[in-house]
């Protein structure tokens, strides 16, 4: 929802804060760093060292004279380096908000001291090695397996020594020039997912429209992934600076510098070495992504400006008439009474009529989600406000609740760091749910806007001098506000009916993905915004927030008909797929144009067919952190051509989307990594390449290119199993998986009697095609009676009819089954003729009744060995 122009803000800024965000100021002019004066072992298996400033100066304030260094290999693949004031506690991201190991308390000498080392020393872990020099102090992190330096703070001509002042911290690392860097968000990266040297990367949550390119937006994620190809072998790792204070990160191609206005240096290094390993290790630290209910993977429709109930009733009916799938209808603030949270407009959305509508759509299997902003209207007759004041839940400024101006007028902001606020918020959610049986909450504008005078920080945000619970300054806690609201909202929703919560949050921080989905904010109905949406989506997968998408067709202004066609062909494959528009824009639901409706039926039709696959990816994300939507390099890290690819993406490991992203185009140039790729809308068509190549594909207005990679088994809704082998290969192997459960249970796990997990396998060799399953916890799937009715096998060599079909050890003919077998030859856009290989065929077997919840095996023989 678009922001209002708010009118009040009080800033407490130092001139230094203006200067420290200027790239022309180099740390070489600030000081000479620190020296390590001692190091000691700590009882928890870590090491503690003490650093003393070498030369004091007053630039940006006084130096903190003595620092405490804490180093620990927390796991075999994760190293922590924590640097803070040795004498007193400094602000850190609260440990109760983001649970993690705590270092020993400062101000105590722990363990057995060593004499000051003179030469370089190392603290070795299983894969990461921490080394240091003493004077001036610097440290490096190396990979044991190949000796590569991942992070090195030793000063050089590009940067100077470490700086640590109360409100200015600076540290730098050198980087190899061929490293590919990703992350450091949230911002709209016009140049694609791969970071570009000398672009600004500012991390400070702000209510700034996503149409602004290369600027800090709604979230703060101070983490980057570094992918390198070393001697033809890929290695990935990630670096997190866990700090919620405002910061600039300057990436210059061969170095990276952090300039932070408070807090501590709290670095985490995860070793990978694959991109999937990196996000697994990263999310094991920050929290695994939230399990999402199955319905949330359907298509969503929203608009700011559904002015009364009859409008959304018409929207639901119009989607049905257009035969476009719709699972969730949303309200922006139109349902509220005078834009106050947790209220209903008695005129526009009378409760009795709304309840009748919700009863109708709930019986249809649809869901209803509404918006909630954090600003609570100051109104003595407003119960939410009254109870908030009674419980003293609001952020303070000069001893009184901070006063700002947002949609309801004058507002106060809840302080979600206060346990009383969390309880009060949960109670307000419960009260509202009794009023309206909502299915999820959309928490918007939670960068907490206030307004005021333009300034380097604090513009359009709450006063930095405001105070949270226990005297925590807004200056320090600003960027975790949305995260803290998300945690409180999750707790509140979970307590209502014990169902799996669905929360959509605009502002995010490290760990937000454990509780919520994210959309990328107020974008534009432009081709550039469409292009940028892919990079932002892929970044959030790296950030541990895999349930993500952009406003399809753009929030404002109205898109052209052609753009909306192309946008739904992309948006149908966002993990979170929602059309949303501005109050002032003309209507842009997908049925408003006949051509867009056709594109929607095609693209969303494919999305709905692969919902079992998407839901399994949701489970995989929850268990391992693996993104749902992934850059190509996640599956093909050896293929350096795809390191900068931002115009295509994968769902899971092998389903590739190659959309049209430019006006007037009816074909698309797509990058195909090495192997065989099969077109999902016509599985007889394939692209095959041994070395990988760029291919120009036809892409008429209502068509999007979706290809499935070899060695994959894809479970499909009403489509059975699709099995892919390398085209024309005499031998091959494929695998896939399927997770099913009672999708509104709070937990997404096995062992509760209400979930099933299946591993699928297939092979071809010696003229025999085989497939089989390994079922875990099959009782749930059996209770639903789910069966596999069809199997499609792609890429088989040669031609001929299937014979000796055997299912679970019994010949099909003996069981009297009505099994139909068909065979079609593959055609190639780029194919086997160029590669000097044999042609291949697709075999489809229908009429099967193999139970999903029970191990099965199936095989047949056919003429697949002969060349054509």
């Amino acid at each position: 929802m678009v922001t209002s122009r708010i009118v009040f803000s009080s800033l407490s800024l130092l001139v230094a804060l203006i200067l420290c965000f200027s790239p022309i100021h180099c740390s070489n002019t600030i000081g000479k760093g620190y020296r390590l004066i001692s190091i000691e072992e700590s009882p928890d298996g870590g090491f503690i060292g003490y650093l003393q400033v070498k030369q004091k100066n007053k630039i940006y304030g006084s130096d903190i004279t003595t620092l405490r260094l804490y180093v620990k290999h927390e796991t075999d693949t994760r190293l922590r380096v924590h640097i803070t004031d040795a004498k007193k506690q400094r602000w850190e991201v609260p440990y109760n908000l983001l649970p993690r190991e705590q270092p020993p308390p400062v101000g105590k000498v722990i363990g057995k001291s060593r004499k000051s080392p003179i030469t370089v020393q190392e603290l070795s872990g299983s894969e990461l090695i921490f080394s240091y020099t003493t004077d001036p102090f610097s440290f490096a992190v190396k990979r044991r397996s190949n000796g590569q330096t991942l992070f090195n703070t030793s000063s050089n001509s590009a940067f100077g020594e470490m700086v640590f002042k109360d409100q200015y911290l600076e540290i730098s690392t050198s980087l190899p020039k061929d490293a590919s860097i990703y992350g450091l968000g949230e911002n709209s990266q016009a140049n694609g997912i791969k970071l570009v040297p000398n672009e600004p990367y500012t991390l400070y949550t702000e209510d700034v429209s996503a149409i602004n390119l290369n600027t800090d937006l709604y979230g703060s994620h101070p983490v980057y992934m570094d992918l390198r190809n070393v001697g033809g072998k890929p290695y990935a790792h990630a670096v997190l600076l866990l700090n919620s204070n405002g910061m600039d990160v300057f990436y210059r191609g061969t170095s990276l510098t952090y300039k932070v206005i408070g807090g501590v240096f709290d670095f985490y290094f995860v070793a990978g070495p694959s991109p999937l390993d990196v996000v697994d290790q990263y999310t094991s630290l920050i929290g695994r992504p939230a399990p999402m209910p199955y319905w949330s993977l359907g298509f969503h429709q929203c608009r700011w400006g559904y002015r009364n109930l009859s409008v959304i009733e018409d929207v639901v009916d119009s989607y049905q008439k257009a035969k476009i799938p719709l699972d969730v209808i949303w309200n922006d603030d139109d349902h509220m009474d005078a834009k106050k949270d947790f209220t209903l407009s008695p005129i526009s959305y009378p409760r009795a009529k709304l309840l009748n509508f919700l009863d109708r759509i709930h019986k249809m299997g649809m869901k209803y989600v509404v918006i909630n902003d954090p600003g609570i209207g100051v109104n003595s007759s407003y119960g939410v406000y009254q109870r908030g004041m009674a419980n003293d839940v609001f952020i303070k400024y000069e001893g009184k609740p901070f006063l700002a101006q947002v949609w309801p007028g004058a507002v106060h902001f809840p302080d979600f760091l206060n346990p009383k606020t969390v309880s009060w918020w949960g109670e307000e959610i419960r009260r509202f749910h009794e009023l309206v049986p909502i299915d999820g909450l959309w928490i918007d504008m939670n960068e907490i806007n206030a307004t005021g005078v333009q300034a380097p920080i604090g513009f359009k945000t709450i006063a930095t001098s405001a105070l949270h619970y226990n005297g925590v300054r807004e200056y320090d806690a600003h960027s975790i506000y949305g995260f803290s609201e998300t945690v409180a909202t999750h707790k509140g929703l979970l307590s209502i009916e014990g169902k799996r919560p669905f929360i959509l949050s605009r502002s995010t921080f490290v760990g937000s993905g454990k509780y919520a989905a994210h959309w990328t904010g107020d974008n534009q109905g432009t081709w550039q915004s469409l292009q940028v949406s892919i990079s932002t989506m892929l970044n959030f997968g790296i950030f541990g927030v895999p349930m993500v998408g952009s406003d399809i067709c753009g929030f404002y202004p109205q898109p052209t008909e052609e753009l909306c066609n192309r946008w739904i062909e992309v948006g149908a494959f966002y993990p979170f797929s929602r059309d949303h528009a501005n109050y002032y824009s003309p209507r842009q639901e997908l049925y408003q144009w006949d051509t867009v409706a056709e594109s929607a039926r095609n693209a969303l039709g494919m999305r709905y067919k692969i919902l079992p696959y998407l839901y399994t990816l949701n489970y995989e994300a929850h268990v391992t952190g693996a993104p749902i939507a992934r850059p190509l390099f996640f599956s093909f890290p050896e293929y350096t051509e795809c390191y900068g690819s931002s115009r295509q993406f994968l769902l899971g490991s092998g389903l590739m989307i190659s959309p049209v992203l430019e006006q007037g185009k009816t074909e698309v140039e797509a990058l195909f990594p090495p192997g065989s790729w099969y077109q999902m809308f016509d599985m007889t068509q394939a692209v095959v390449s041994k070395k990988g190549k760029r291919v120009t594909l036809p892409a008429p207005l209502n068509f999007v290119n979706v290809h499935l990679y070899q060695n994959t088994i894809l479970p499909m809704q009403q489509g059975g199993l699709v099995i892919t082998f390398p085209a024309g290969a005499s031998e091959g192997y494929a695998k896939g998986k399927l997770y099913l459960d009672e999708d509104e249970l709070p937990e997404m796990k096995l062992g509760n009697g209400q979930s099933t997990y299946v591993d699928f396998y297939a092979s071809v060799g010696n003229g025999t095609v085989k497939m089989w399953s390994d079922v875990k916890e099959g009782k749930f799937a059996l209770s639903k009676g789910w069966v596999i009715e069809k199997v499609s096998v792609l890429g088989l060599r040669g031609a001929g009819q299937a014979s000796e079909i055997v299912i679970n050890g019994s010949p099909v003919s003996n069981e009297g089954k009505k099994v139909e077998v068909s065979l079609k030859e593959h055609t190639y856009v780029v194919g086997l003729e160029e590669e000097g290989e044999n042609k291949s065929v697709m075999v489809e077997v229908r009429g099967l009744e193999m139970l999903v919840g029970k191990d099965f095996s199936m095989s047949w023989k056919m003429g697949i060995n002969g060349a054509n």
Side-chain angles (χ1 to χ4, degrees):
M1 153 176 215
V2 75
T3 61
S4 62
R5 295 292 177 181
I6 11 193
V7 296
F8 173 77
S9 180
S10 173
L11 303 178
S12 175
L13 298 176
L14 302 174
V15 174
L17 300 185
I18 302 171
L19 296 177
C20 75
F21 279 179
S22 169
I24 64 172
H25 280 75
C26 169
S27 61
N28 289 325
T29 65
I30 296 178
K32 296 185 177 180
Y34 288 76
R35 67 168 61 90
L36 180 68
I37 57 175
S38 70
I39 189 165
E40 51 203 37
E41 298 175 16
S42 62
D44 65 355
F47 291 85
I48 290 178
Y50 292 93
L51 310 174
Q52 191 171 65
V53 69
K54 294 189 67 175
Q55 186 178 77
K56 296 179 182 180
N57 65 71
K58 296 291 186 180
I59 302 173
Y60 308 155
S62 299
D63 297 280
I64 294 178
T65 56
T66 307
L67 302 178
R68 202 276 303 273
L69 166 71
Y70 173 72
V71 181
K72 185 180 181 183
H73 290 91
E74 293 187 336
T75 71
D76 288 345
T77 57
R78 186 172 80 227
L79 169 69
R80 185 180 190 183
V81 179
H82 183 277
I83 302 174
T84 187
D85 189 329
K87 297 179 181 178
K88 65 178 183 179
Q89 184 70 38
R90 287 179 61 82
W91 164 256
E92 298 185 43
V93 175
Y95 284 83
N96 62 344
L97 191 65
L98 184 64
R100 60 203 188 277
E101 292 186 31
Q102 293 199 43
V106 296
K108 296 181 180 179
V109 176
I110 300 173
K112 190 174 181 180
S113 178
R114 298 177 180 176
K115 291 184 178 180
S116 300
I118 300 173
T119 59
V120 173
Q121 301 289 319
E122 291 186 347
L123 306 175
S124 296
S126 298
E127 177 57 3
L128 297 177
I129 299 172
F130 175 87
S131 64
Y132 57 89
T133 56
T134 60
D135 191 3
F137 171 75
S138 66
F139 72 89
V141 178
K142 298 179 181 179
R143 189 185 294 279
R144 177 184 290 277
S145 58
N146 66 3
Q148 277 249 313
T149 298
L150 310 184
F151 199 87
N152 185 358
T153 69
S154 180
S155 63
N156 57 35
S157 59
F159 56 83
E161 305 296 344
M162 181 179 77
V163 180
F164 203 119
K165 298 170 185 285
D166 184 39
Q167 291 187 314
Y168 184 72
L169 287 69
E170 181 175 329
I171 196 168
S172 302
T173 178
S174 54
L175 292 170
K177 63 181 180 180
D178 59 349
S180 296
I181 309 296
Y182 312 90
L184 297 178
E186 175 182 12
N187 60 27
S188 296
Q189 295 172 199
N191 295 304
I193 187 174
K194 186 176 174 181
L195 298 192
V196 176
N198 303 315
E199 289 283 358
Y201 298 101
T202 298
L203 283 72
Y204 188 76
T205 62
E206 281 197 288
D207 175 12
V208 176
S209 172
I211 68 174
N212 294 280
L213 301 177
N214 299 325
T215 189
D216 53 316
L217 298 176
Y218 313 107
S220 176
H221 295 269
V223 61
Y224 69 85
M225 180 185 290
D226 181 332
L227 176 61
R228 306 176 188 179
N229 192 284
V230 183
K233 189 173 182 181
Y235 292 88
H237 68 274
V239 179
L240 166 68
L241 172 55
L242 186 55
N243 184 305
S244 64
N245 289 83
M247 70 177 76
D248 269 1
V249 185
F250 295 99
Y251 171 54
R252 300 182 182 89
T254 58
S255 67
L256 187 147
T257 297
Y258 298 90
K259 297 184 177 183
V260 196
I261 60 171
V264 302
F265 288 133
D266 194 2
F267 284 104
Y268 291 86
F269 302 88
V270 295
S274 75
L276 279 175
D277 290 334
V278 167
V279 291
D280 185 0
Q281 296 153 11
Y282 180 59
T283 57
S284 72
L285 167 67
I286 68 168
R288 299 296 195 192
M292 294 290 163
Y294 197 90
W295 58 261
S296 68
L297 294 171
F299 181 68
H300 304 240
Q301 178 62 53
C302 184
R303 175 180 171 81
W304 180 31
Y306 286 152
R307 60 187 182 278
N308 57 49
L309 181 58
S310 64
V311 177
I312 62 168
E313 288 176 319
D314 178 69
V315 170
V316 171
D317 293 341
S318 296
Y319 268 96
Q320 287 185 305
K321 290 174 185 176
K323 294 183 170 53
I324 300 171
L326 177 65
D327 269 85
V328 192
I329 188 72
W330 293 56
N331 263 131
D332 205 308
D333 65 8
D334 304 287
H335 69 285
M336 297 179 181
D337 179 17
K339 304 187 183 299
K340 299 192 299 292
D341 282 347
F342 304 118
T343 64
L344 276 182
S345 167
I347 299 172
S348 301
Y349 284 81
R351 182 170 182 256
K353 290 183 178 180
L354 179 59
L355 292 180
N356 287 337
F357 168 72
L358 295 182
D359 183 60
R360 177 167 74 91
I361 67 167
H362 282 150
K363 287 177 179 176
M364 294 163 55
M366 289 182 62
K367 304 295 181 181
Y368 178 60
V369 178
V370 299
I371 199 170
N372 214 32
D373 293 336
I376 300 299
V378 177
N379 186 325
S380 60
S381 63
Y382 174 32
V384 178
Y385 168 77
Q386 293 171 343
R387 291 184 290 272
M389 290 296 291
N391 284 280
D392 192 23
V393 302
F394 298 116
I395 293 172
K396 298 291 199 307
Y397 179 72
E398 295 182 348
K400 298 178 181 179
F402 179 82
L403 186 66
Q405 187 86 7
V406 198
W407 297 114
V411 298
H412 296 324
F413 291 116
D415 174 12
F416 292 104
L417 298 182
N418 186 340
K420 289 172 63 177
T421 307
V422 175
S423 299
W424 162 81
W425 189 252
E427 174 63 14
E428 296 304 334
I429 292 173
R430 185 194 64 76
R431 286 171 176 267
F432 185 63
H433 190 270
E434 289 180 354
L435 187 70
V436 185
I438 55 169
D439 299 291
L441 274 175
W442 169 20
I443 50 177
D444 189 16
M445 296 187 70
N446 46 354
E447 306 78 23
I448 51 172
N449 319 85
T451 48
V453 184
Q454 186 169 0
I457 64 169
F459 176 56
K460 291 186 69 179
T461 65
I462 196 170
T464 55
S465 53
L467 295 179
H468 294 253
Y469 181 68
N470 274 349
V472 170
R473 300 178 302 172
E474 170 65 11
Y475 178 94
D476 296 310
H478 173 80
S479 288
I480 62 171
Y481 187 86
F483 178 37
S484 64
E485 183 194 15
T486 301
V487 174
T489 303
H490 187 275
K491 184 175 181 180
L493 283 175
L494 189 60
S495 68
I496 295 173
E497 293 181 320
K499 289 184 177 181
R500 190 176 299 173
F502 176 78
I503 301 165
L504 184 72
S505 178
R506 189 169 74 175
S507 186
T508 59
F509 187 70
V510 175
S512 286
K514 183 179 179 180
Y515 306 96
H518 173 65
W519 96 108
T520 64
D522 298 346
N523 59 359
Q524 270 189 316
T526 63
W527 292 94
Q528 186 175 51
S529 281
L530 170 60
Q531 295 161 16
V532 167
S533 74
I534 295 177
S535 298
T536 308
M537 170 184 68
L538 297 178
N539 262 330
F540 270 88
I542 294 172
F543 297 154
V545 190
M547 189 64 167
V548 59
S550 295
D551 287 345
I552 292 171
C553 297
F555 184 62
Y556 66 93
Q558 184 187 37
T560 63
E561 182 175 350
E562 180 191 3
L563 175 58
C564 203
N565 270 278
R566 294 310 191 185
W567 209 318
I568 187 56
E569 291 169 358
V570 179
F573 301 100
Y574 293 153
F576 172 64
S577 183
R578 185 185 72 159
D579 182 317
H580 179 45
N582 187 316
Y583 185 94
Y584 301 102
S585 298
R587 297 281 290 274
Q588 64 181 47
E589 292 85 3
L590 301 180
Y591 54 77
Q592 296 288 345
W593 301 273
D594 290 342
T595 62
V596 175
E598 183 179 352
S599 294
R601 286 188 290 268
N602 292 339
L604 287 173
M606 181 56 69
R607 179 189 183 90
Y608 274 71
K609 286 179 182 177
I610 65 170
L611 278 178
Y613 177 64
L614 288 176
Y615 194 64
T616 302
L617 293 177
N618 175 25
Y619 172 73
E620 187 179 347
H622 179 56
V623 173
T624 70
I628 296 173
R630 306 174 190 176
L632 271 59
F633 68 76
F634 263 65
S635 290
F636 305 96
E638 316 86 4
Y639 187 53
T640 57
E641 287 292 312
C642 70
Y643 282 15
S645 178
S646 302
R647 300 173 71 87
Q648 298 166 260
F649 59 94
L650 297 171
L651 292 178
S653 61
L655 192 66
M656 184 167 72
I657 319 300
S658 306
V660 171
L661 301 174
E662 294 175 322
Q663 185 176 5
K665 300 290 186 181
T666 56
E667 58 185 23
V668 63
E669 184 184 79
L671 178 64
F672 283 85
S676 300
W677 296 86
Y678 300 92
Q679 201 238 84
M680 288 295 293
F681 289 94
D682 180 357
M683 295 180 190
T684 65
Q685 295 190 27
V687 174
V688 181
S689 173
K690 283 185 176 179
K691 297 182 179 179
K693 60 179 62 180
R694 294 188 181 276
V695 180
T696 299
L697 301 171
L701 185 63
N702 303 122
F703 181 80
V704 58
N705 279 279
V706 181
H707 289 81
L708 183 63
Y709 191 57
Q710 66 188 35
N711 308 326
T712 302
I713 301 179
L714 179 72
M716 294 184 70
Q717 197 154 261
Q718 299 180 344
L721 298 179
V722 178
I723 301 170
T724 60
F725 292 118
S730 58
E731 294 184 348
Y733 183 79
K735 62 182 180 179
K737 49 200 166 187
L738 175 65
Y739 176 83
L740 302 160
D741 69 2
E742 202 65 67
D743 78 303
E744 292 197 349
L745 290 175
E747 294 292 330
M748 196 178 204
K749 64 180 182 180
L750 294 173
N752 57 11
Q754 294 182 291
S755 57
T756 293
Y757 183 87
V758 186
D759 282 306
F760 296 110
Y761 304 94
S763 67
V764 59
N766 299 319
T768 301
V769 179
K770 297 179 181 179
M771 61 205 69
W772 64 99
S773 69
D774 179 10
V775 179
K776 298 177 180 65
E777 305 286 340
K779 181 179 177 182
F780 173 72
L782 289 173
S783 72
K784 299 293 185 179
W786 288 322
V787 298
I788 297 167
E789 186 273 337
K790 182 175 74 171
V791 171
S792 303
V793 185
L794 316 184
L796 295 174
R797 185 177 183 182
Q801 294 300 314
S803 63
E804 300 180 40
I805 299 177
V806 177
I807 299 176
N808 296 329
S810 300
V812 167
S813 57
N814 291 349
E815 295 181 358
K817 293 183 179 293
K818 297 179 179 179
V819 174
E820 299 175 1
V821 182
S822 62
L823 181 148
K824 296 179 181 178
E825 188 173 295
H826 287 299
T827 57
Y828 303 99
V829 176
V830 172
L832 298 177
E833 297 89 343
E834 291 187 15
E835 303 291 340
E837 298 286 350
N838 298 299
K839 290 189 176 181
S840 62
V841 297
M842 164 185 170
V843 173
E844 189 172 274
V845 183
R846 293 177 174 270
L848 303 172
E849 294 180 355
M850 298 184 296
L851 290 167
V852 172
K854 187 176 181 180
D855 290 353
F856 72 82
S857 64
M858 180 179 178
S859 65
W860 70 76
K861 293 182 180 295
M862 62 181 298
I864 59 175
N865 287 324
N868 288 342

